[in-house]
Amino acid sequence: MTTAADILTSESYGNPYALSHLDALEAEAVHIFREVAGEFERPVILFSGGKDSIVMLHLALKAFWPAQVPFALLHVDTGHNFPEVLEYRDRTVAEHGLRLHVAKVQDFIDDGRLRERPDGLRNPLQTVPLLDGIETGRFDAVFGGGRRDEEKARAKERVFSLRDEFGAWDPRRQRPELWSLYNGRHSPGEHVRVFPLSNWTELDVWQYIERENIELPAIYYAHEREVFQRNGMWLTAGGWGGPKAGETVERRLVRYRTVGDMSCTGAVDSDATTVADVVTEVAASRLTERGATRADDKVSEAAMEDRKREGYF
Amino acid sequence: MSTELHHSTPALETGSATALLRFATAGSVDDGKSTLVGRLLHDSKSILTDQLEAVTTASQNRGQDTPDLALLTDGLRAEREQGITIDVAYRYFATARRRFILADTPGHVQYTRNMVTGASTAELAVVLVDARNGVVQQTRRHAAVAALLRVPHVVLAVNKMDLVDYAEPVFAAIAEEFNAYAASLGVPDVTAIPISALAGDNVVEPSAHMDWYGGPTLLEHLETVPVGSDPSDEPARFPVQYVIRPQSAEHLDYRGYAGQLASGVLRAGDPVTVLPSGLTTTVAGIDVLGKQTDIAWAPQSVTVRLTDDIDVSRGDLIAAGPAPEPTQDVLATVSHLHERPLRVGDRVLLKHTTRTVRAIVKQLPYRIDIDSLDRVPDPEALQVNDIGQVVLRTAEPLALDRYAVNRQTGSFLLIDQADGTTLTAGMVGEAF
């Protein structure tokens, strides 16, 4: 088996045209953004302020430089977001002169279209506001940061994923995708979800963040935080529903590997304070990103598949 | 399958020349494909603790006492219930030397279209055979698909060597038969490797049982096989995706053509032809995602600026070197992908690079029997999973290269005009 000492392969020499894996992945993602710009009327980028959506936006900015990104942003706000992330979102939108649409879960609960779950989880409630936001905005292409390495049901996801008027994903209706020819045709009412990071892994994303010097919300790096344990994860204490009786709050040095909703995103013990530290930690991790940190995917063997079918990512 | 985890260190040096290799596997579950893929993922630290736990739990729930690695790779509920793989799945792993994208394709006869899909982006195909059975009908089919899709490198992985006492003559006979068949198809590069995916021989670790084999393990070969072609040997092809016109005070006169180089090298000062119009001009400069440069090569995504203010838009091809003659008559080998058959007279959309045009199916000269490679003349229609030759007439001219010389500018899709379904994958020119 090779070790890091073996890195200097023949490819470092002799072929001036060799592209690194990050360059190859970047070129592919940029190609995908430009295809959508060329073929769709109203594309939108799902932007949560999480690292994958931040990398997506960075790639879009590069793809259309020196012109503006020709897409709006859409954020489905569960109402349980980390304040650091919302602050980052608003600052980024202002900095690049982007248009942001926000679909709020709370609005749907307030007017009775959604009901709060007994377990307080709001991630599963995102589907309805997301589809409503897509319909209201008349968006025909929706960029998501999903990666095929995240979960088994995603291993078969297409780069261009057709959704019907209910946002549903039918694995049998997905079109074969060959070469780099993406088929974006759809009927009125249907839309296409597009995943420019399909072929990236968590480590690729972090290496790219390091290489491009991309700023992230501070919670991705190790910091002291009041947390309590639930379902084997460190959750942040807060008004969304924790800690409950029997759950003890303690102060720990943690960071977030994924950033979603406060109620379902767990922190991990970490002393990685810089992007280089995080790259090293991710490379050595024995747990997948979601396995370590996401309560909502653990529900059943087919949980993700079911949620994709109903229009979630 | 042992559950002992093998540790390796992925390449941590950002910007180091870790290349990306896309490869495909073809073979049925019976050949031990799931075990092989599982072994590659497992021994390269790509199966992590929680994934292995999930598989172990699911296996126990099914009354199996060892982790069933097929569960790791078979994602959808329908497949798990039927115990089959019904689609292409993409898997990711890395070693210190390389990043890998594996298109894992099912090997059953009715899933030719999935193999074609997986092979379309692959630079290498692993064809798996059972050492006890040798080269069978399915092996020949897999070799034919790899040849048809012009996959540059083919690996013959002779699996289950442990069940034939690791006998060299068994391996040698299979390798010889396969090489002869692959050569007849025009496959440029075949490497045969004797392995046991179950015991781990020559997958990641060299085999202690096969001293007679002096070559690399499968993983070593994947890590060292040349990635990509040499773009300086190819004429430049640049399909225009999008026109960038900021019209801001700072970039008042900026007009750039955004796209991904399909082949070749472009330099500032190069004379180029814009197709299909045939107008000629010169490359003024190139921007690579925000940085000015004077050279770019495939497969970089760049923005090209031209010296003359000529009419260029999405769907045009900027070409240097010998340029293709735009045509409305297309002769191609196709793989039909959809249950809806393809017939003479069908009106479809044809998507080639960034250009989509209307087209009519004029003739279906023959279907190719993928098992015998015989040509069956004048088929009534092409059915799903059929491979055959098609003659098309397009509403507008296309700048096509032969697929044999350019996999990007020689490939196209046929799309249903009514509902947008992808019907057919096309490759310009003769099959083999």
Side-chain angles (χ1 to χ4, degrees), chain B residues 52-318:
Chain B
L52 202 59
E53 274 173 14
V55 166
T56 308
T57 309
S59 304
Q60 284 164 349
N61 293 345
R62 289 172 174 70
Q64 294 160 297
D65 52 2
T66 51
D68 179 357
L69 280 166
L71 295 177
L72 196 75
T73 53
D74 296 347
L76 301 176
R77 181 184 290 165
E79 296 172 21
R80 285 196 304 276
E81 284 166 359
Q82 297 164 38
I84 54 160
T85 318
I86 53 173
D87 207 335
V88 186
Y90 293 90
R91 324 214 176 273
Y92 301 85
F93 66 101
T95 67
R97 291 184 185 179
R98 269 197 186 159
R99 260 279 274 114
F100 299 96
I101 299 177
L102 159 59
D104 188 3
T105 66
H108 308 285
V109 55
Q110 64 270 42
Y111 297 119
T112 301
R113 65 175 171 192
N114 291 331
M115 261 174 49
V116 168
T117 301
S120 72
T121 52
E123 291 195 63
L124 179 145
V126 178
V127 176
L128 199 62
V129 302
D130 184 329
R132 297 169 303 174
N133 307 332
V135 175
V136 294
Q137 198 69 292
Q138 186 171 256
T139 316
R140 281 189 280 271
R141 187 177 310 133
H142 295 161
V145 170
L148 183 71
L149 274 292
R150 308 277 169 180
V151 179
H153 308 281
V154 172
V155 170
L156 174 72
V158 182
N159 191 24
K160 305 193 186 183
M161 287 299 294
D162 51 318
L163 301 182
V164 294
D165 295 330
Y166 297 107
E168 182 182 16
V170 175
F171 168 74
I174 295 171
E176 190 181 356
E177 186 182 351
F178 185 85
N179 276 329
Y181 189 70
S184 75
L185 296 166
V187 174
D189 175 49
V190 178
T191 303
I193 305 176
I195 66 169
S196 166
L198 195 67
D201 295 273
N202 287 339
V203 178
V204 172
E205 304 292 344
S207 170
H209 303 101
M210 293 183 271
D211 293 345
W212 46 264
Y213 171 74
T217 64
L218 175 61
L219 186 65
E220 271 180 281
H221 181 68
L222 294 173
E223 285 180 314
T224 53
V225 73
V227 170
S229 50
D230 181 352
S232 60
D233 288 345
E234 310 156 345
R237 297 286 184 263
F238 185 76
V240 175
Q241 285 187 277
Y242 191 76
V243 182
I244 294 183
R245 295 197 61 195
Q247 294 169 307
S248 60
E250 196 186 345
H251 300 279
L252 201 54
D253 299 322
Y254 187 97
R255 187 186 179 94
Y257 303 102
Q260 183 171 26
L261 268 146
S263 65
V265 181
L266 266 186
R267 289 179 180 81
D270 279 356
V272 291
T273 308
V274 179
L275 298 165
S277 70
L279 295 167
T280 56
T281 179
T282 310
V283 175
I286 302 166
D287 296 318
V288 180
L289 308 182
K291 289 196 195 75
Q292 286 198 19
T293 172
D294 49 17
I295 181 167
W297 57 90
Q300 288 184 311
S301 280
V302 299
T303 305
V304 173
R305 287 174 284 110
L306 301 174
T307 49
D308 300 289
D309 194 8
I310 53 177
D311 180 25
V312 181
S313 55
R314 176 174 168 82
D316 287 345
L317 182 77
I318 294 174

Side-chain angles (χ1 to χ4, degrees), chain A residues 21 27 43 62 93 109 155 165 171 173 175 184 191 202 205 208-209 215 218 230-231 271 284 292:
Chain A
H21 73 288
K62 287 182 96 167
V93 166
I109 292 173
E165 59 270 39
R173 265 196 74 207
R175 299 160 175 169
H191 70 276
E202 185 185 15
V205 168
Y208 188 73
I209 288 165
E215 188 210 342
R230 183 182 295 172
N231 300 334
D271 55 8

